[in-house]
Structures are given as structure tokens and as C-alpha cells.
Amino acid sequence: MNYDIAQPDLAEDGARRVEWAGRRMPVLKTVRERFLDERPLEGHVVAACLHVTAETANLMFALRDGGAEPILCASNPLSTQDDVAAALVAEGIPVFAIRGEDDDTYYKHINAVLDHAPAVTMDDGADLATVLHTDRRDIQVIGSTEETTTGVIRLKAMAADGTLRVPVVAVNDSATKHLFDNHFGTGQSTLDGIIRASNVLLAGQNLVVVGYGDCGRGVAKRADGLGAKVIVVEIDPVRALAAAMEGYRVMTAADASAEGDIFITVTGNKHVIRSEHFAKMKDGTILANSGHFDIEIDLASLGAEAVARRPVRENLEEFEMPDGRRILLAAEGRLVNLGAAEGHPADVMDMSFSNQAFAVEYLIKNEGSLEPRIYTLPDEIDDDVASIKLAHMGGGLETLTEEQVTYMSGWKEGT
């Protein structure tokens, strides 16, 4: 078996981590049980470009249980858990991922999974899909899946200009993904990463959240719960108003720059914190990014303007500015929740990765009948995923009476 990982001898440690995550993923366990019985993915090679974490390992096992041959590479150079990569290789699943790999190695690994001639690809950020549509047009696939907001945005842009040549299931657009993974997962794991990197007390800090989508809302809510004084920077007037009515201060990035103690970017856009903002920041300001790519903070300008830089803690680097102020950058400006912590808890990835498994099944079942555009999984799958998760959390669903069903389907009964 061909693979490229950092330390195969970490397999035992990784297996324990994978087992622990699996205990917290009851929905995916249900999927695995059905997949083992029905084998709906039989004989299909599935190439996945995802964060190599314990939760992802459980997804790879689910695909294998369904009859697929999964192959995995990383979707971010800093997000790989090397012990998990080793555990997967020990299980016979090829992995091409090394934590801290450079860009050349990162793309070499993407090409390595494509060398296996997959029938379906899975993506988190659309880097694999981009390579598939540029350098590797020799590979023909049934379809692809996309995990995250950034990737869906890229793929929609490809569809708009006529470049997209395969059907893609936007897993991110499923309610049981973005309403939970993005909100609760990003909210908790982002702060976990910042705390691990810096060991700062959030209570009383001016914490600036740049971007108030599903992820930003989650970060703001959790920071508020830990006692931070939240400031929101947003370009959308409706989202900005929603933040204001939640009790957060809303201001421009320029105004927030002088007030913030901690800045967290969650926009999916480029250089939302840049030179003009660095110039106003306090001594000791911490910068962190929880968007998929390391472009949200203008890292080149920060490095060019600094007169000195040095690591001060694991996953925390200090940049000394010409006037003596120090600006601290967490996890190299990459995804702080994975670069400095372990990513989202398994409890929430349970739903996201169940949707991923369903998406692969959907593409294979509908081979030849789907156009090259963006699809969303049927609502019934969302309902099934939510119902299973709720039941495992001890919850129960109310049901309508016959009278209520009749009333909701009629129009004659009013005032």
C-alpha cells in the first residue's frame, strides 16, 4: 500500500483517539450499521481531501463499511493529526498527509489521491476539486462532495462561469451541517484553539469577531458566554443589525482595530485585517483566523512591517512593530481550531460526516442522471439525521393530532 505520513509508529495512540471520537458519533454509527448490511458503495474508490482528524477517521471507516475504497489527504497543511494518519494506515487505508507540510507537499498529496482514479471525491475547501478541474482533467468522476462554506462559494463560482464539469453535493448547505457544525462546532473549537495557544482569560477582553455568518455567530455567542466584551465587524446590514440586537457592539474594522484585545476572522474573504488595522492595534493584541484559508489576515504585510518576530508559545508567534508594540499571531494565521487545538468536537462532526456519507451514496445511486451543478441533500436526510441525534441526546419529538393536521392543510377555518 502506498502512503505518505509522518510517524507510522504513532498508530496505537491514534487508534485510541479514533475510538474515543467514535463513541461520540451515534448517527454515523447508525449509518455504518446500514452500510455494512447494504454495501451501497461497493467497488467505488473514494478520494477524500479532508482534515485528517479522529472524526474523519470514523468517516473513512463508514465508507469502507459501505464497500468503498477510501483514500485520504489533508485539506489544510496544519490540520493533520499525525497519530490518526498512522492509525488509518495501520487499518489499511492509504493516507497522504503530514502536519506542517509545505505547499508543494500538500499538492503532491492531492495528486497522489487522484492517482488512484477515484469514482467520487470529497472536499473541504475545494482544493481537490480545483486540481481536478485544472491539472488533472484526465480524471473522470461520478461527482464530488463539499464540506465547508468556502468550498461551496468556490464551486458556485466555477458553476457560474461554466467551469464545473461534475455534480457536487454541497454538504455544508444541509441544515444538520451548517446550523450545528458551523455554529456550535466553530464557536467552541475556535475559542479552544485560542486558549490553548495563548492561555489568556477571555473574561473582560474586547474580542472582535470579523464576520457574522453561522460561524461568526457561534464564536460571538461562546465568547460572550465566557465573559468577553464582543465587537462585531460585518458588511451585511441585516447581519450587522442582528449582532447589534444580540447586544454586541458593531463597528468598522478601522474603529475596532484600536479597541480589540483579540481578533478572530471568520469571513471566508481576503485581507479583512491588514496594514491599516495593524497600525492601530494595542500592544499584545492577539490575531486568530477560523476561516478555511490563511488569507483573512494579511500575513505578508504583518511580516514585512515587523522589525522582529519570534515564537513565544507553541502555536503563538510574536511580531514586534517599529514602535515597540507586539502583535501575536495564533497558528500561523491558519484555522486556529485545528492548528492549535483538535477541531470540532466529535459530537457535532457526527452529523456533518453522516451527511458526507449520505452524499457519497446519493452520487453513486444517481450516477449518470445528475447535471454538473451544485446539489443539496434531500430534506428527509436532514430530518433523519436530526431525529437520530435528538434521540441519542434523550429528546423526543411532538406529533400532530389529526385535528391539527386537518387545520394546517385547510384554509376555511379562521377568526
Side-chain angles (χ1 to χ4, degrees):
M1 183 179 70
N2 192 20
Y3 61 87
D4 188 18
I5 60 175
Q7 292 181 266
D9 60 342
L10 295 177
E12 188 175 340
D13 292 340
R16 284 194 294 269
R17 195 201 291 240
V18 172
E19 179 190 1
W20 170 252
R23 295 184 198 178
R24 312 294 303 181
M25 304 178 82
V27 184
L28 191 60
K29 180 182 178 182
T30 303
V31 175
R32 290 183 66 178
E33 289 168 353
R34 180 172 71 77
F35 274 15
L36 269 171
D37 182 53
E38 298 178 7
R39 304 284 285 183
L41 317 179
E42 193 73 59
H44 290 85
V45 176
V46 178
C49 181
L50 303 169
H51 300 299
V52 182
T53 66
E55 295 75 26
T56 304
N58 280 281
L59 172 59
M60 295 300 104
F61 293 159
L63 297 176
R64 185 179 64 181
D65 290 344
E69 300 174 35
I71 303 133
L72 179 63
C73 67
S75 60
N76 189 288
L78 202 60
S79 65
T80 296
Q81 295 168 355
D82 286 328
D83 57 343
V84 170
L88 282 167
V89 167
E91 283 281 340
I93 295 175
V95 179
F96 299 85
I98 298 170
R99 180 179 171 84
E101 62 192 19
D102 59 27
D103 286 351
D104 288 343
T105 304
Y106 175 76
Y107 281 101
K108 182 183 80 172
H109 286 162
I110 287 177
N111 277 285
V113 299
L114 289 174
D115 287 342
H116 288 75
V120 176
T121 58
M122 308 175 75
D123 228 334
D124 188 332
D127 277 345
L128 187 148
T130 300
V131 172
L132 190 69
H133 283 76
T134 52
D135 300 335
R136 297 303 303 270
R137 294 180 65 85
D138 57 302
I139 304 295
Q140 302 298 318
V141 301
I142 295 170
S144 187
T145 73
E146 175 52 52
E147 172 75 8
T148 195
T149 307
T150 297
V152 173
I153 290 170
R154 294 179 76 187
L155 290 161
K156 286 181 177 177
M158 290 170 69
D161 70 10
T163 303
L164 188 68
R165 60 186 179 92
V166 300
V168 178
V169 177
V171 171
N172 182 75
D173 291 353
S174 293
T176 46
K177 196 281 182 182
H178 69 87
L179 294 180
F180 298 90
D181 177 319
N182 298 20
H183 184 90
F184 297 100
T186 305
Q188 178 170 314
S189 65
T190 296
L191 299 185
D192 182 22
I194 291 169
I195 291 168
R196 291 196 199 195
S198 65
N199 197 31
V200 296
L201 179 70
L202 296 186
Q205 303 276 358
N206 287 328
L207 189 144
V208 181
V209 179
V210 186
Y212 198 66
D214 288 331
C215 295
R217 286 172 184 260
V219 171
K221 186 172 184 179
R222 262 109 206 111
D224 183 51
L226 287 171
K229 295 179 286 186
V230 175
I231 298 168
V232 169
V233 175
E234 177 55 66
I235 61 169
D236 184 284
V238 176
R239 289 179 178 178
L241 178 60
M245 289 198 173
E246 286 289 351
Y248 309 136
R249 288 189 290 164
V250 179
M251 57 182 69
T252 65
D255 290 339
S257 298
E259 299 222 15
D261 300 303
I262 301 169
F263 290 76
I264 302 170
T265 57
V266 273
T267 69
N269 211 332
K270 187 175 184 179
H271 294 171
V272 296
I273 294 181
R274 49 194 181 271
S275 180
E276 66 202 71
H277 306 130
F278 302 146
K280 297 181 179 181
M281 288 178 177
K282 302 175 185 177
D283 180 35
T285 294
I286 296 173
L287 306 180
N289 168 53
S290 209
H292 186 80
F293 294 118
D294 61 342
I295 58 169
E296 303 208 18
I297 301 166
D298 186 352
L299 302 175
S301 291
L302 181 61
E305 292 173 23
V307 295
R309 55 191 291 184
R310 65 184 181 115
V312 291
R313 288 173 57 92
E314 185 177 6
N315 296 313
L316 193 67
E317 186 175 12
E318 178 184 273
F319 292 76
E320 184 180 342
M321 308 309 281
D323 60 2
R325 289 177 302 117
R326 293 157 295 181
I327 295 175
L328 298 136
L329 178 69
E332 302 177 10
R334 298 188 185 276
L335 280 162
V336 70
N337 57 345
L338 282 152
E342 297 178 55
H344 295 359
D347 308 73
V348 74
M349 295 309 300
D350 183 27
M351 294 181 285
S352 298
F353 281 165
S354 294
N355 281 314
Q356 280 280 15
F358 285 133
V360 173
E361 181 184 32
Y362 177 83
L363 287 166
I364 290 172
K365 278 185 175 180
N366 293 280
E367 181 181 0
S369 64
L370 301 176
E371 299 174 1
R373 63 179 179 85
I374 311 297
Y375 292 84
T376 305
L377 287 172
D379 290 343
E380 308 87 76
I381 291 179
D382 259 337
D383 291 344
D384 287 346
V385 169
S387 296
I388 296 169
K389 190 68 174 180
L390 182 65
H392 278 277
M393 294 177 69
L397 283 174
E398 182 63 277
T399 56
L400 296 173
T401 65
E402 289 186 14
E403 178 186 36
Q404 290 167 336
V405 171
T406 301
Y407 176 76
M408 293 298 290
S409 61
W411 57 271
K412 293 183 179 179
E413 189 175 345
T415 302

